[in-house]
Amino acid sequence: MVRVSTTHLGHVFHVAGSPTVDAAAAALVEIPDGALVVDDDGTIVYCGPAETRPQRSGETVVEHESAYLLPGFVDTHIHFPQTYSVDAYGGGQLLEWLNTCIFPAEARLADPSFAREAARDFTARRIATGTTAAMVFGSAFPAAQDALFTETRRAGLRIVSGRGIQTVGPESAAALLTSESDAIALAADEIARWHCADTADPRTAHLQVALVPRFSLSVTTDTLRSLGELYDDVRDRGVYVHSHLNENNRPGDGEIDSVKALFGVDSYLDTYDGRFLPGSAVGGPSLLGRRTIMAHAVHCSDDELHRMANTGTSIAHCPVSQLFLGSGTMPWKWTTAAGVTVAAGSDVGAGDEWLISQVLSDTYKVHISEPGDASVSLHPAELLFTGTLAGARALDMEERFGNFDVGKDADFLVIEPHRWPPLEQALRQGIRADDPALARDQLLFTLLMGLREPAIAQVYVAGSRVGGE
């Protein structure tokens, strides 16, 4: 049987192969007159110069003219129940903001009609900002999660999500709390109904489920033990784990000190690693592993970083929300040197940027401003890597998407700078070096830093356009 294909012509940028972040610059590929050839099953069969592309009888050629083709953005930490909570003023840092703004806002999703509206708006914003794959912190309410998965499936995007699990909490979170037994039963039911519901195979599914304890202050040792036991039962099915780690270290009553005092443990990570009893004694199975993503990790010890690296646990780096809540700066050099995969997370709604390239913009600014020898001027390829391939790696789906390597699914964005004149003007009029490699890097840097939603003209997942007119 002859397979037809679609060829997309444009200015291609991607980080090829499977490099570490510090090798991303060497793996950066630019093809000004490029071709991305996509088979009829949505698989990339060629990425290279247009003039040498393979041609097939009956192929469709799409001329994107002056557009740029980039891999789809991957957001490894975003909150569905906080769709309408960006720029919410809580009068303080993390714990005050949760009590004042977030717990009450998330309680509104108990209304199924409101939840369906939020799911539609959340999914539409993902398409508008080019987020083709995301690890989504879910709602406490099963009907809201059903709406989220249903809307995501209709749109054709990739998602990993799980209901936010809370068994203890302040009065402001009362509507979000369940009993210990209900927490496990609802999580197991969500896995049964939604994990790989589209293809029945975690290697190819667009819909996947995670176990999502909100953070350690929202659960008990019994919850953690039961979640570990459930995860042992479903780990081989490709189920994920997602939570928060070491976000806020305000002395005395901040998140980290509160966790250590409540559980009597040596480190915050211990609570997720099965060592949640006093003195960090083992109380149950670990939740760490290749499909576990911990958001923030701003204030980690060496031991915590090495434990995450050794177990394949990844970090969702969320500089926008860390600025918003005064949580501090994740030390880039120290964290990446430990060998942990660090991917980008918007953390909407503490983060007020949905667009991953703007998260990368803040990533650059935050880390060049670290003090002394910790300061680093991130290469534009490292930024692109963090927002695309690193996210696919954190989701344990690097073999499926994240760049334009042959054999991967064609998840990509078509960026038309003329739709956002400040970007078009900066790309056209900006100073470029005589050295071709530096000129390339300058162009990519401007593209990432200056990109805004209007310039994202088309979004594709596995070769199919999503959200098209």
Side-chain angles (χ1 to χ4, degrees), residues 155-173:
L157 296 170
R158 302 182 191 272
I159 190 172
V160 180
S161 185
R163 65 174 302 274
I165 297 169
Q166 295 179 251
T167 53
V168 292
E171 181 60 31
S172 58

Side-chain angles (χ1 to χ4, degrees), residues 75-87:
D75 190 338
T76 56
H77 184 59
I78 183 170
H79 290 256
F80 161 52
Q82 297 173 24
T83 297
Y84 307 124
S85 297
V86 295
D87 296 317

Side-chain angles (χ1 to χ4, degrees), residues 143-154:
Q145 285 297 98
D146 290 346
L148 175 63
F149 279 113
T150 298
E151 191 64 24
T152 304
R153 186 173 194 171
R154 184 200 63 78

Side-chain angles (χ1 to χ4, degrees), residues 263-335:
F263 290 92
V265 293
D266 297 329
S267 76
Y268 196 153
L269 186 69
D270 286 346
T271 60
Y272 299 117
D273 200 15
R275 299 188 296 146
F276 46 73
L277 297 180
S280 293
V282 173
S286 176
L287 293 170
L288 305 185
R290 285 174 57 89
R291 289 198 162 197
T292 298
I293 298 178
M294 291 293 167
H296 303 297
V298 178
H299 307 284
C300 289
S301 67
D302 273 333
D303 287 344
E304 288 175 307
L305 291 175
H306 290 307
R307 178 61 178 161
M308 283 190 281
N310 290 338
T311 58
T313 300
S314 299
I315 292 171
H317 181 33
C318 309
V320 183
S321 72
Q322 287 152 21
L323 290 168
F324 181 79
L325 293 174
S327 298
T329 300
M330 184 200 80
W332 182 271
K333 286 183 178 179
W334 187 26
T335 304

Side-chain angles (χ1 to χ4, degrees), residues 180-181 184 187-188 191 211 221-237 239 241 271-274 276 282-288:
E180 303 279 358
S181 59
I184 302 306
I191 292 167
L211 296 176
T221 54
D222 287 341
T223 316
L224 289 168
R225 180 182 302 106
S226 296
L227 285 174
E229 291 168 353
L230 175 58
Y231 195 47
D232 270 2
D233 290 340
V234 299
R235 187 189 291 260
D236 289 344
R237 293 168 54 190
V239 172
V241 173
T271 60
Y272 299 117
D273 200 15
F276 46 73
V282 173
S286 176
L287 293 170
L288 305 185

Side-chain angles (χ1 to χ4, degrees), residues 387-403:
T388 57
L389 189 58
R393 185 173 298 167
L395 291 172
D396 199 28
M397 291 291 284
E398 185 179 359
E399 76 284 357
R400 295 302 329 146
F401 58 88
N403 61 16

